[in-house]
Amino acid sequence: MAKIAYILLCHKDPVAIIRQAERLTAVGDYMSIHFDASANPEHFKKIKAALANNPNVTFAHKRIKCGWGEWSLVQATLYAVESAAKTFPRATHFYMLSGDCMAIKSAEYTHQYLDENDADFIESFDYFESDWIKTGWKEERLIYRHWVNERAHKRLFYAMFEVQKRLGLTREIPADLQIQIGSQWWCLRRRTVEWLLHFVKQRKDVVRFFRTTWIPDETFFQTLVRHLVPEDEIRTRTLTFLMFTDYGMPVTFYNDHYDLLMAQDYLFARKISAEAQDLKRRLGLLYAAEGVHFQISNEGRSLFKFLSGRGRIGRRFATRFWETESTLGRERELLIVICKKWHVAKRVLDRIRQVTNVPAIEYIFNEQDTPLPDLGGIQNTLEKRTRHRRALMRMLFDYFETDRLIVCMDPENLDLLNDFASDRSVTRMLEIECQFSDDYLIGHAMRVGLAGEQTSQDTLERLLPTIRNDMVHESDQIRDSGFENHLRLRENASEDQNAEMLSQFLAIPHEKAREIASTDYLFAD
């Protein structure tokens, strides 16, 4: 059975560190601690005294001062790993943790998971080909030398960089290494750790190179593991669940996140709030528990993105400079069917095609595989269609040789509706108001990744009102926009009422509109 040596890098909160060590070693696992040498020495004394009689705890054989973005973080990790490998010969895995991490699965589940997955878990994406680095320096991290801490000595840090840049003092990356990048939170097997420590002793040139790279904790282990271990034995993921806000800050978890954390396909999570005492208590008890069944739904990231995005009001895209003076044409009519239930809108369009000869296109800005003619590449991606929306519509009018065109849109596309409504052409909108049952909302949540097959009923019950209110909010925003030609087709309206709306929308006789409105299955789910 797997036995884990946890590698803990920390610099504060001695009480939390002591409790974490006691929890994780109580079931037979191990821990090696590196406490930052620049931190309060009294805190370190307190930790050592409290854990002195715990045979499953050891400390890095050397303590150093650590700084963000520096080699010191890698060196501290190596010291802690070396101590763990020497002190705990029965350890089968080595797992990187911080003081803000906590287990979100039981030790029983964790050990079984590692037994069943004989691999190293570490993010290792190609440094130059991947988009792991979103903004800022990329090549500059490696080909220039960085000797001082960027946060402590900012002016000197950038001055030294500028001097090297002006003088062309670049360096080569070790020829036999393909630099990788990823999260510092990894879990490696003992054999891999032993290979890595041996490599570090043998390849001083590689260590010298990484010593003066910037933020090496995101590249050192990631690169060496990929260099030493066969590709099919590496899982390019972390077993620690962490998320970031739009501003690049780690998401912090609180007391009410217990069920969400348990449902994620991860073994640990960070960051747990220092104030979340009840969450810490429950997770602490969880690690030692036996026979716990976990329903993995793994919707955490998509659910966070959905909930954090609500309430942001504003247009997603500003008008592009090439569209400022563009128009679909004064003589043209763009008819937009707006509906959250895409299958209902598609049925309406299908009946419109049967009754009229107006060209109709389904969710052109929402579905990648919407059938479209070749328009020179502008139709290839949703991003291109949205960015060049007016040009796209003009080309479709020309392709169909028509002055009337129908398209479908999701109610969330308010920015597009505003844009087309402001055009010199005639824009008419038919909003289809549907009833949303709980079963439909659950299906919707699963389709968009907010829930999974194993999502608990309690989570669904809390989520459904939010989704329902979000749909109502989208409809309210459309009404509040005050569009001039905005008509509504309602599921609970009579056939005559809906026929009148269709008649005005399509400019067809009431009898023909009634043929569409009388379709039996029009609103069926």
Side-chain angles (χ1 to χ4, degrees), residues 7-18 20-21 23-24 31 95-104 184-185 240-244 250-254 261 267-276 279-280 283:
I7 309 301
L8 179 63
L9 266 58
C10 48
H11 65 281
K12 61 179 182 179
D13 203 348
V15 173
I17 292 168
I18 294 166
Q20 188 180 40
R23 281 192 298 261
L24 296 179
M31 179 172 286
Y95 196 122
M96 268 289 292
L97 288 178
S98 76
D100 298 319
C101 297
M102 285 200 70
I104 56 175
Q184 68 185 106
W185 312 112
T240 298
F241 180 59
L242 65 161
M243 298 188 295
F244 292 89
V251 173
T252 301
F253 299 108
Y254 297 93
L261 293 176
L267 305 181
F268 280 75
R270 77 178 301 266
K271 291 181 162 185
I272 308 298
S273 170
E275 300 173 359
L279 177 61
K280 289 185 174 184
L283 291 177

Side-chain angles (χ1 to χ4, degrees), residues 304-469:
F304 172 76
K305 183 178 179 181
F306 169 71
L307 293 176
S308 62
R310 294 180 66 248
R312 295 176 187 165
I313 299 174
R315 292 181 59 173
R316 187 174 303 164
F317 302 101
T319 304
R320 271 59 180 186
F321 69 90
W322 61 80
E323 295 182 328
T324 303
E325 297 300 325
S326 66
T327 178
L328 305 185
R330 291 183 184 276
E331 73 285 357
R332 286 172 167 168
E333 295 181 20
L334 179 62
L335 310 182
I336 304 176
V337 175
I338 308 165
C339 188
K340 198 67 180 178
K341 290 186 176 181
W342 294 5
H343 59 281
V344 172
K346 291 178 181 180
R347 287 196 198 115
V348 171
L349 246 64
D350 186 55
R351 293 292 288 130
I352 289 174
R353 291 191 190 100
Q354 296 172 21
V355 174
T356 75
N357 61 354
V358 181
I361 303 173
E362 295 174 358
Y363 285 86
I364 185 172
F365 298 107
N366 302 99
E367 288 189 302
Q368 177 65 41
D369 57 356
T370 299
L372 289 172
D374 185 355
L375 301 174
I378 195 174
Q379 82 288 348
N380 285 345
T381 66
L382 292 176
E383 191 270 339
K384 282 187 177 180
R385 296 177 199 172
T386 303
R387 187 168 67 244
H388 305 292
R389 48 190 176 270
R390 292 196 184 188
L392 174 68
M393 300 310 295
R394 287 199 307 273
M395 294 173 76
L396 288 171
F397 274 111
D398 293 339
Y399 177 84
F400 289 111
E401 297 181 348
T402 183
D403 288 333
R404 303 183 77 209
L405 183 67
I406 305 174
V407 297
C408 286
M409 291 190 194
D410 191 280
E412 72 175 6
N413 298 135
L414 183 62
D415 54 330
L416 298 177
L417 298 176
N418 275 308
D419 191 26
F420 288 125
S422 66
D423 190 75
R424 295 169 185 166
S425 63
V426 175
T427 302
R428 287 205 291 273
M429 302 177 191
L430 179 68
E431 183 183 359
I432 304 178
E433 294 184 6
C434 302
Q435 302 298 309
F436 299 107
S437 66
D438 286 352
D439 287 341
Y440 172 82
L441 293 178
I442 291 172
H444 174 77
M446 291 181 176
R447 285 190 293 275
V448 299
L450 299 178
E453 294 292 340
Q454 302 299 323
T455 300
S456 67
Q457 187 62 35
D458 181 61
T459 299
L460 288 174
E461 288 175 359
R462 287 186 292 166
L463 181 59
L464 292 188
T466 303
I467 298 176
R468 191 185 301 277
N469 290 337

Side-chain angles (χ1 to χ4, degrees), residues 51-289:
L51 300 174
N53 296 323
N54 189 329
N56 287 9
V57 174
T58 190
F59 292 86
H61 60 84
K62 184 177 181 180
R63 291 174 63 211
I64 59 174
K65 295 180 179 180
C66 298
W68 184 88
E70 289 183 10
W71 167 258
S72 55
L73 287 174
V74 176
Q75 187 64 73
T77 304
L78 288 172
Y79 286 150
V81 169
E82 288 168 354
S83 293
K86 181 179 180 180
T87 309
F88 307 124
R90 296 181 61 197
T92 61
H93 294 78
F94 295 76
Y95 196 122
M96 268 289 292
L97 288 178
S98 76
D100 298 319
C101 297
M102 285 200 70
I104 56 175
K105 298 292 185 292
S106 64
E108 181 181 62
Y109 179 98
T110 298
H111 295 154
Q112 182 178 347
Y113 185 93
L114 295 177
D115 285 339
E116 294 174 353
N117 294 273
D118 184 20
D120 296 306
F121 292 86
I122 182 169
E123 284 188 351
S124 54
F125 303 99
D126 187 279
Y127 188 90
F128 295 101
E129 298 297 327
S130 73
D131 64 347
W132 203 86
I133 298 176
K134 304 296 183 185
T135 59
W137 284 356
K138 196 166 191 176
E139 187 180 42
E140 294 87 346
R141 291 194 190 187
L142 305 176
I143 65 173
Y144 296 105
R145 296 166 179 84
H146 307 281
W147 290 284
V148 299
N149 184 281
E150 188 264 349
R151 293 187 174 180
H153 308 285
K154 187 176 291 289
R155 291 181 63 182
L156 180 59
F157 179 89
Y158 289 105
M160 295 170 74
F161 165 73
E162 289 297 335
V163 169
Q164 294 180 78
K165 187 175 179 182
R166 288 197 195 99
L167 298 177
L169 300 177
T170 59
R171 59 176 173 175
E172 295 294 326
I173 296 170
D176 59 333
L177 293 183
Q178 183 177 4
I179 304 299
Q180 305 286 308
I181 191 167
S183 166
Q184 68 185 106
W185 312 112
W186 41 255
C187 178
L188 304 178
R189 295 167 298 175
R190 184 178 194 91
R191 184 187 66 178
T192 301
V193 165
E194 290 174 346
W195 285 352
L196 193 148
L197 293 177
H198 178 73
F199 182 90
V200 168
K201 290 179 180 179
Q202 297 297 314
R203 292 292 302 273
K204 301 298 183 183
D205 60 315
V206 172
V207 174
R208 281 196 300 272
F209 171 77
F210 278 103
R211 276 184 181 277
T212 51
T213 59
W214 192 41
I215 321 181
D217 56 307
E218 293 179 350
T219 55
F220 180 78
F221 293 100
Q222 297 78 358
T223 300
L224 296 195
V225 169
R226 182 69 67 174
H227 182 75
L228 297 168
V229 178
E231 185 175 358
D232 61 356
E233 296 182 27
I234 299 173
R235 304 293 179 265
T236 308
R237 57 160 296 189
T238 175
L239 293 177
T240 298
F241 180 59
L242 65 161
M243 298 188 295
F244 292 89
T245 68
D246 292 345
Y247 303 100
M249 300 300 292
V251 173
T252 301
F253 299 108
Y254 297 93
N255 289 334
D256 56 350
H257 287 129
Y258 180 78
D259 290 332
L260 180 144
L261 293 176
M262 283 186 63
Q264 305 314 305
D265 187 20
Y266 295 85
L267 305 181
F268 280 75
R270 77 178 301 266
K271 291 181 162 185
I272 308 298
S273 170
E275 300 173 359
Q277 295 302 318
D278 187 57
L279 177 61
K280 289 185 174 184
R281 178 188 62 81
R282 296 177 72 184
L283 291 177
L285 294 173
L286 175 66
Y287 193 70

